[in-house]
Each structure stands twice: as structure tokens, then as C-alpha cells.
Amino acid sequence: MALLDVQNLVVEFPGRRGVLRALDDISFSIGEGEILGVVGESGAGKSLTGAAIIGLLEPPGRVASGQILFDGKRIDNLSSDQMRPIRGKQIGAIFQDPLTTLNPLISIGRQLTETMQAHLKLSDRDARARAIGWLEQVGIPAAADRVEAFPHQFSGGMRQRVVIALALCAEPRLVVADEPTTALDVSIQAQIITLLKNLTKSHGTSVMLVTHDMGVIAETCDRVAVMYAGRIAEIGPVRDVVLSPSHPYTEGLMGSIPSLETRVERLRQIDGAMPRLTAIPKGCAFNPRCSRTIDKCREQRPGLMPAGSTQAACWVTAA
Amino acid sequence: MTMQVLQAIEVSRHFDVSRPFLQRALSREGRRILRAVDGISFDIAAGTTLSLVGESGCGKSTVARLAVGLYTPTDGEIRFEGQPLSSARAQPALRRKMNMIFQDPYASLNPRWRVADIVAEPIRAFNILSGTKTINDRVGQLLTQVGLSAADGEKYPHEFSGGQRQRISIARALSSEPEFLVCDEPTSALDVSVQAQILNLMRDLQQKLGLTYLFISHNLAVVRHMSDRLGVMYLGRIVEEGPGEDIFRTPRHPYTRLLLDAIPDISAVGRSRTPVGGEVPSPISPPAGCTFHPRCGLANERCKVEKPPQTKVGNVLVACHAVAEGRS
Ligand SMILES: Nc1ncnc2c1ncn2[C@@H]1O[C@H](COP(=O)(O)OP(=O)(O)OP(=O)(O)O)[C@@H](O)[C@H]1O
Ligand SMILES: Nc1ncnc2c1ncn2[C@@H]1O[C@H](COP(=O)(O)OP(=O)(O)OP(=O)(O)O)[C@@H](O)[C@H]1O
Ligand code: SF4
Ligand SMILES: [Mg+2]
Ligand SMILES: [Mg+2]
């Protein structure tokens, strides 16, 4: 049985000018010890998916239909009191925005010890020793010297690493990691990725890893989901999605990666922009930017269909 | 002669990170000074891009803030179009010419303002355009350029995703029509296809209007694509500097070589990278001599005591004894 099972999730924002549907029928699962990568257009709904799982959708945002199962039990309909012990201890979250996670007025060390002591039985002394240990694990130099520092005294990437330590220190079973390595240089990034991979091996921790970095996806994930305009465009084993994508959007995405080997005048891009949530076209949401459209693409919405070894929502390449 | 838009001459920036006086007195410890930037020099010629790369915490954002006058140097001097930066900043006509895209797209947007007002703020502050309709049209155009839509101007920052907010801060930075733009991780929150659109836009503006960029990114493929010149930083110093292509083709400093080796590769599904080995030294008590020596495979006794000067090798300046001695 999968540790996390998201079924037909719909998230909406009711507003003055009607209801915005930000996630539209999202389904996927993550097994124990598995790392699922989530990629896709900026604004596609990756962070919202993560927020829905940890029960932190910002009102008026709400789960309008569908369900989220954690270890076989529904968690999408829990009250915030019921959700609190699950968050942190069962499901750890690394948010995209490190500054809002950290309290600017409390020292880094105290934020770590408080989080650990809320979930694990630890003496002050042990908690402090562990806090320093976690800072070392995420590669903060001179950790013992800097455990008293406040967030503003750390660089962008150092703060991000503190957020990672905070998410991992209570040893959760599932980690929702939203862009955990974007502010990090490649060597620290490698260290964090190794840390996550080791946790999946030694503790069977499961990870939902949202990132724009295809290199990180390629070397870390077992499977990848590609999102576009609030829907999943393609999902499958990492090798197939990255190296032989089926959906035209995935193909465009992989083609836009700047190469380190050759320098070109202009990077390849997918022309046009993702539709606004208020103006999602009929049929396939990607059809105005797609070069392979047939009439059906403008009429009927494609669901996920087998396409080689992945599943893709495309009338042309999957059906 | 090419005009230098920005010149940094032996610039340092130190932070006092001592504990409060009483605690210090009790445990008999001295002041602790963190050398975030330690004596660096570079020039950026008009219409070109200098990129800075290096480990997290090595001082890139501090250089970025120094370059637009948000920090004053502890030591050394920064000149903008030939004038001391502080006097350039005092003149609105010159101040308008520089702008910055911040590393943190969240903290830099006022949550209570509508996006249209955020983007229009520099236009109003510097009187670049007048008339509500003219300004609105310009804001709509800027939002469209970064892949959002004019109608998005009505909304507040919290209604946008991370990458959308980053694009709002890019639109705002461009709205003052700057000639010198400091870009601190400008596309870190963007997917590769929107990133390609933004980078293409930045290159187009450079070619059309002659913009000058100081560009910071951890993504080395992006850096290679954008830069004319490249500076590799380690612990507050520039250890290698020169034409970007020369450094990417033949990295000389041992740290640069490590950095280029650690890049993840999409063709390597499932492969594990070996992280750069060794302890990252503390900027509060950096190692003596060459600060990279504890992690360097080529270090010898001299490296442990003597700070390596910059040596010219081809078109590139390298601060490494092994390179200077031909031991590399
Ligand atoms: N509070 C909100 N009110 C209205 N719309 C919102 C709100 N929060 C997010 N959205 C919209 O929902 C969509 C999905 O946002 P989300 O943050 O999940 O994107 P994302 O895939 O994480 O993008 P990025 O890669 O840029 O971080 C976006 O179009 C965004 O504008
Ligand atoms: N206001 C401050 N007070 C004390 N220390 C600071 C301050 N700002 C930066 N530092 C320290 O200076 C060093 C350089 O920080 P900086 O933000 O310039 O790094 P960076 O190269 O931009 O890193 P990143 O890639 O993580 O953004 C770090 O060790 C940081 O802790
Ligand atoms: S369904 Fe049609 S429009 Fe959508 S991606 Fe496939 S070919 Fe393109
Ligand atoms: Mg996001
Ligand atoms: Mg920085």
C-alpha cells in the first residue's frame, strides 16, 4: 500500500469574481521509501499540492473534492487540531520560502530544539547536541559556533539549509520538499540530496520533491509527475519522463534546459504563456501552445493514458 | 576605450557577529568579525555581464548589495560610471540607472500593495512616465514581458506562486529602465521554460539597450549562457576571474575545478554525485594562507601560510600557488 495516496484532488479559491480552480483532478501516490519528483510550469500548482497534503492551504483556498490518504487514513478532512500532531512528526515540510518558515526573533538553535522537543522526548542537552548535529548534516560550517545566530545573519542558502534541518529533525515518514535546493550551490545541493536519499534507504522515508532542476530530478527520483495548469500532464519512471518524454509539454520543458556543453545565442523556449486560471481553454489546457494539436484537443480534456512506459494526458502522443 | 560601469577596488565588508557584551565578558571571548567580502576587485564594462559563482555563503549577495550601495564597504572603494558610488547614489539621475533583483522574491515585495502598484513604484518615484493610462499600459507591458498578464496587476503578491512572484520582482526591476542591473539568483524559482523566456528577454534588452549586468546564480549552465566575464568566489575572495568561456573550457583554480565537477547532469539518471569533500571553513576564523588549502588536493606548506596573489594565466587571473608554480 502506498504511504501517500492523492485521489482526484480539486483545490479551489472562492472569490468575488467566481471560483478559481487551481488544482483540477490530481491523482498520484508515493510508496514507502520512494522519491516522487514534481516538476512543471511556474504557477502550475506544485506548491498548492504540497500545501493541501500538509493541510496548510491558505484560506479561502480549500479542498473542494477528492481525498488524500496517509497510511490508509484520510487526512484532508481533519481539523487543524487533529492535523497538528501529524504535521512535523509524520509529515515534514520544507517550504519554498525559507524566510516565512523561520522566526526572525528566535535563534536558529532554539527553533530546532523546540521543534524536536515538541515531537520527540529529549532533554535540553540532547536536543542542543542534536541541533548542532543537524546543522552539520546540512553543511553549515562551524555549526557549534553559529547555533545561537539569528536568521538574518545567515545567507540565503544557509537559511534554506536550516529549514531543511527543521523539516527532518523530528524524523517524519513523509517529507514534502518544495524547492529545497534552489538557493544552494551544486556541492551543498549534492550533500542535501545524498542526505535525503540516505534517509529513504535507512528509515524508509518517502519524499515528494518539487524542483525545477532536472539534474536533481534525474539523480534523485524514482518517478516524476509533470504538472501544467493545475493538472498532471505526465507521470512515470524518471528515466522515461526525462529522457523520452511523451507529452508535448514535457518535451518542450526538457528542450528548454540550457546546456553546459554548448553556448547558444538564444535558449529554446515554449512560446506563449500558461493560461490564467480564469481562462483555461477547453479540451487540453496546453493546446494553444502545442504544435501537434488535432481537433479533439480543443474539444475534450485528455485524462492520463498509457504512453509507452509513462502515463500522459495527450490525445496525440498517448492515445 | 570601453567605459567601466562598475569598478570595485579592494572592497571588503565585515560583519560584527560578537555575542552581547556581557556574555562575551563572562566567557572571556573577544569580538568576532565575519569577513563576508575580503578585498575583492573587479570591473564591469558597459553592455557586458559579469557573473559571480561560488559556494553558498561565500559572499555573493553581499557583493551584490555593495554594488548598488545597500551596504557600504568596510574597506576599499566602489565606483559607478567613474564616480564614487555614494555620490552617484546621491544624484537621482544616476541612482535611477541602477537597480537590483533580490535573491528572495518574497521578502522584497510589499504584501499590502497590488502588483500593479509594486511594478509602477519606480516609474512614479523617478517620474519616468506620467498619466495613469500611460503608466498602466507600461505596467501591463512589463507584466506581459515576464509571462504574466496585465490583468494580474489587480492581485496581491500572496495570490501568486513562487516563480510568479519572482517574475513580478523582475518586472519591477525593469520598470525603472535601469542601465545597470544586479541580478541575485533572478531565475532560481522558475521552471526551465519560463527561465529560458526570462533569460532571452534579458539578453535582448542587453543587445538593444546596452544593459550591464552583475549576475549571480548557482546554475552554472545559466551562468555560462549569460556571462561575458566570470568571477569564482571562495570565502569572500575572488579566486579566479576572466572571460567566462576561458574558465568554463579550462578551469584552473582547484576550487573552480571542483565546482564544475559537481554539476548534476540530466543524462545521469540515478547516478550519485560525490559532494565536494572536506569541511567548509568558517568565515569567522578562515584558514591562514590560501583559505581553500584544507580542501585542496594540491596544497603544500606554502599554501598553508602564504596568501596566494592573483597571477595572470592567459586571459585569466588565478589566485593559487600551485597554478603559479606550474604544479597543477
Ligand atoms: N492565495 C491564492 N489566491 C489565489 N490564487 C492563488 C493563491 N495561491 C496560489 N494561487 C494560484 O494557484 C496557482 C498555483 O500556485 P502554486 O503556488 O501551487 O504554483 P507552483 O506550481 O508552485 O509554481 P512555482 O513553480 O512558481 O512555485 C497559481 O496560478 C497561483 O496564482
Ligand atoms: N547582516 C549580516 N550579519 C552577519 N553576517 C552576515 C550578514 N549578511 C551576511 N552575513 C554572512 O556573510 C556571509 C556571506 O553571506 P552572503 O549572503 O553574501 O552569501 P551568498 O554567497 O550570497 O550565499 P547564498 O548563495 O547562500 O545566497 C555568510 O557567512 C553570512 O552568514
Ligand atoms: S492533447 Fe493535443 S494539445 Fe494537448 S499536448 Fe497532446 S497534442 Fe498537444
Ligand atoms: Mg511553488
Ligand atoms: Mg545570496
Side-chain angles (χ1 to χ4, degrees):
Chain A
M1 187 187 61
L3 182 67
L4 179 79
D5 200 359
V6 176
Q7 298 173 349
N8 307 101
L9 180 68
V10 175
V11 166
E12 292 180 340
F13 287 91
R16 272 168 293 132
R17 271 165 265 134
V19 176
L20 269 186
R21 180 168 285 208
L23 295 182
D24 194 359
D25 199 15
I26 301 276
S27 300
F28 64 89
S29 64
I30 306 181
E32 211 146 318
E34 185 182 39
I35 306 186
L36 175 77
V38 180
V39 300
E41 190 97 347
S42 162
K46 304 178 295 294
S47 298
L48 282 182
T49 305
I53 292 168
I54 51 180
L56 284 182
L57 281 174
E58 219 180 286
R62 59 183 169 90
V63 175
S65 63
Q67 53 183 8
I68 302 170
L69 303 177
F70 180 76
D71 207 7
K73 290 187 262 322
R74 265 187 89 166
I75 53 167
D76 57 279
N77 54 1
L78 299 183
S79 69
S80 54
D81 275 348
Q82 290 169 309
M83 196 61 198
R84 199 163 299 126
I86 297 179
R87 209 184 296 133
K89 179 71 203 115
Q90 303 287 332
I91 308 179
I94 302 171
F95 295 99
Q96 193 172 3
D97 166 5
L99 269 191
T100 53
T101 314
L102 297 176
N103 185 331
L105 302 176
I106 301 182
S107 76
I108 304 278
R110 217 177 108 204
Q111 299 193 42
L112 278 163
T113 50
E114 279 180 0
T115 305
M116 282 186 283
Q117 288 179 318
H119 297 291
L120 310 170
K121 273 204 171 30
L122 285 176
S123 70
D124 287 355
R125 225 178 128 166
D126 290 349
R128 194 185 142 87
R130 275 209 201 186
I132 294 171
W134 275 108
L135 290 177
E136 278 165 358
Q137 285 212 53
V138 295
I140 302 279
D145 271 354
R146 298 178 108 181
V147 49
E148 318 283 357
F150 288 86
H152 77 272
Q153 296 177 313
F154 274 20
S155 77
M158 289 159 67
R159 285 195 290 253
Q160 195 161 9
R161 282 177 272 161
V162 173
V163 172
I164 294 169
L166 273 171
L168 301 179
C169 68
E171 298 166 6
R173 295 173 66 193
L174 171 70
V175 179
V176 175
D178 198 352
E179 303 280 1
T181 61
T182 35
L184 304 179
D185 60 271
V186 284
S187 66
I188 302 280
Q189 185 189 66
Q191 191 176 346
I192 300 290
I193 294 301
T194 309
L195 177 66
L196 282 178
K197 275 176 142 176
N198 287 346
L199 284 175
T200 61
K201 280 199 207 93
S202 60
H203 290 67
T205 312
S206 309
V207 183
M208 171 175 151
L209 177 65
V210 178
T211 174
H212 291 305
D213 191 324
M214 294 302 170
V216 167
I217 289 281
E219 68 177 353
T220 319
C221 299
D222 302 301
R223 285 184 306 132
V224 198
V226 182
M227 290 187 67
Y228 188 80
R231 305 170 181 183
I232 292 182
E234 182 162 4
I235 184 166
V238 64
R239 181 181 298 276
D240 304 299
V241 174
V242 172
L243 299 180
S244 51
S246 291
H247 196 285
Y249 171 67
T250 320
E251 225 178 338
L253 197 63
M254 300 304 161
S256 309
I257 303 172
S259 154
L260 199 66
E261 269 70 54
T262 49
R263 203 181 134 117
V264 291
E265 253 327 288
R266 285 182 74 76
L267 297 169
R268 265 171 52 195
Q269 61 182 56
I270 309 173
D271 286 323
M274 195 174 70
R276 310 183 69 220
L277 294 177
T278 46
I280 306 248
K282 203 171 156 206
C284 171
F286 189 60
N287 86 61
R289 301 172 78 184
C290 182
S291 56
R292 309 174 70 162
T293 31
I294 52 174
D295 286 343
K296 198 174 181 183
C297 304
R298 288 179 216 99
E299 297 301 327
Q300 271 181 56
R301 172 174 170 184
L304 285 172
M305 297 169 261
S309 43
T310 76
Q311 300 236 308
C314 171
W315 290 123
V316 174
T317 59
Chain B
M1 199 189 89
T2 50
M3 194 189 55
Q4 304 298 342
V5 171
L6 197 84
Q7 292 164 282
I9 306 149
E10 291 291 317
V11 173
S12 298
R13 171 71 209 206
H14 300 168
F15 293 104
D16 188 339
V17 293
S18 313
R19 292 202 282 166
F21 170 75
L22 196 62
Q23 281 186 31
R24 250 188 307 135
L26 288 175
S27 54
R28 293 171 196 280
E29 76 184 27
R31 285 206 166 276
R32 299 202 302 171
I33 303 297
L34 187 151
R35 296 164 200 274
V37 172
D38 198 16
I40 71 171
S41 304
F42 58 82
D43 294 342
I44 314 179
T48 69
T49 303
L50 169 75
S51 295
L52 292 179
V53 299
E55 237 158 8
S56 169
C58 71
K60 303 177 298 296
S61 297
T62 308
V63 173
R65 287 169 170 265
L66 286 163
V68 292
L70 290 173
Y71 284 153
T72 46
T74 311
D75 224 334
E77 196 190 6
I78 296 181
R79 301 177 78 85
F80 181 75
E81 295 192 352
Q83 302 190 35
L85 185 61
S86 51
S87 64
R89 298 275 309 167
Q91 305 163 46
L94 282 182
R95 193 168 69 230
R96 177 193 146 178
K97 290 189 180 179
M98 52 182 112
N99 212 336
M100 173 158 171
I101 301 169
F102 289 89
Q103 182 172 11
D104 193 333
Y106 310 91
S108 60
L109 301 177
N110 186 332
R112 283 184 242 293
W113 285 21
R114 283 182 202 279
V115 164
D117 293 321
I118 292 175
V119 175
E121 195 265 339
I123 302 180
R124 298 207 172 99
F126 292 112
N127 271 319
I128 293 168
L129 296 169
S130 58
T132 314
K133 166 117 179 38
T134 322
I135 294 179
N136 284 347
D137 288 351
R138 175 70 181 141
V139 168
Q141 188 195 359
L142 285 160
L143 288 173
T144 315
Q145 272 188 332
V146 297
L148 298 171
S149 79
D152 285 324
E154 283 306 299
K155 300 202 264 179
Y156 291 92
H158 76 267
E159 294 175 76
F160 291 89
S161 75
Q164 289 168 334
R165 279 183 250 185
Q166 192 163 42
R167 287 181 272 164
I168 295 166
S169 63
I170 294 170
R172 180 185 56 183
L174 294 175
S175 78
S176 67
E177 297 171 15
E179 290 169 20
F180 172 57
L181 193 58
V182 175
C183 313
D184 194 355
E185 300 281 357
T187 61
S188 61
L190 302 179
D191 64 275
V192 284
S193 122
V194 172
Q195 169 175 278
Q197 287 180 344
I198 297 287
L199 296 179
N200 286 337
L201 169 70
M202 288 180 60
R203 286 277 289 260
D204 290 347
L205 290 173
Q206 186 165 54
Q207 271 152 19
K208 248 188 278 158
L209 307 170
L211 262 60
T212 307
Y213 297 124
L214 174 60
F215 191 88
I216 295 170
S217 173
H218 285 305
N219 186 325
L220 295 169
V222 165
V223 165
R224 181 165 198 179
H225 178 69
M226 293 301 288
S227 338
D228 298 297
R229 298 184 71 83
L230 177 66
V232 180
M233 287 185 68
Y234 188 77
L235 225 56
R237 299 183 188 163
I238 292 183
V239 296
E240 183 158 4
E241 200 259 339
E245 279 312 284
D246 291 18
I247 297 178
F248 274 106
R249 237 179 271 129
T250 332
R252 291 197 168 81
H253 195 284
Y255 174 65
T256 313
R257 287 198 231 153
L258 266 179
L259 192 69
L260 295 187
D261 274 349
I263 300 170
D265 178 1
I266 66 154
S267 57
V269 174
R271 183 184 66 122
S272 277
R273 268 179 292 160
T274 31
V276 178
E279 183 92 348
V280 185
S282 157
I284 301 171
S285 47
C290 169
T291 51
F292 187 60
H293 85 252
R295 298 168 80 186
C296 181
L298 298 174
N300 65 7
E301 287 310 311
R302 186 178 173 204
C303 302
K304 292 182 191 158
V305 287
E306 196 183 317
K307 177 176 162 183
Q310 294 203 323
T311 319
K312 193 147 179 111
V313 187
N315 295 318
V316 179
L317 285 171
V318 188
C320 169
H321 293 307
V323 172
E325 294 164 7
R327 286 194 284 119
S328 59

